[in-house]
Amino acid sequence: MKDYIEERVLTIAVFITENKATVREAAKQFGVSKSTVHKDMVSILPKLNPSLSQDVRKVLDVNKQERHIRGGMATREKYLLLSK
């Protein structure tokens, strides 16, 4: 595997764990696609750093459980702004 990929994976993983960031936020921060971030965190990171991978997995699981709430809040905000 190329060095720059390993560096990207580890950098994104640290960003996610420190900021409790979503895949979308991490992708935007590092200029890659959501698919790339997800694949890096699920496929590559466990091979590079299993303990960091577990930490990232915990954050991603929490984000997955909360996503329907965030989506509802975003929709609510959208319609509140439109009604003004």
Side-chain angles (χ1 to χ4, degrees):
M1 185 178 331
K2 306 230 178 190
D3 290 337
Y4 73 91
I5 294 175
E6 291 179 6
E7 183 178 336
R8 179 189 71 212
V9 170
L10 294 173
T11 305
I12 292 174
V14 169
F15 175 79
I16 289 174
T17 55
E18 287 179 352
N19 299 301
K20 305 290 187 240
T22 62
V23 169
R24 188 177 295 239
E25 291 168 345
K28 189 174 185 180
Q29 178 71 28
F30 292 95
V32 294
S33 71
K34 294 181 302 179
S35 301
T36 300
V37 172
H38 188 265
K39 182 175 181 182
D40 287 351
M41 297 303 108
V42 173
S43 301
I44 300 172
L45 184 59
K47 296 173 189 167
L48 293 178
N49 189 334
S51 64
L52 183 58
S53 176
Q54 289 176 348
D55 295 341
V56 169
R57 182 82 261 162
K58 289 176 188 173
V59 173
L60 295 180
D61 287 343
V62 168
N63 289 340
K64 188 174 182 180
Q65 291 172 353
E66 294 176 349
R67 71 180 171 192
H68 68 284
I69 296 168
R70 281 193 300 272
M73 289 170 50
T75 302
R76 181 175 184 265
E77 290 293 320
K78 173 185 172 183
Y79 286 106
L80 285 175
L81 289 174
L82 289 176
S83 67
K84 290 183 180 181

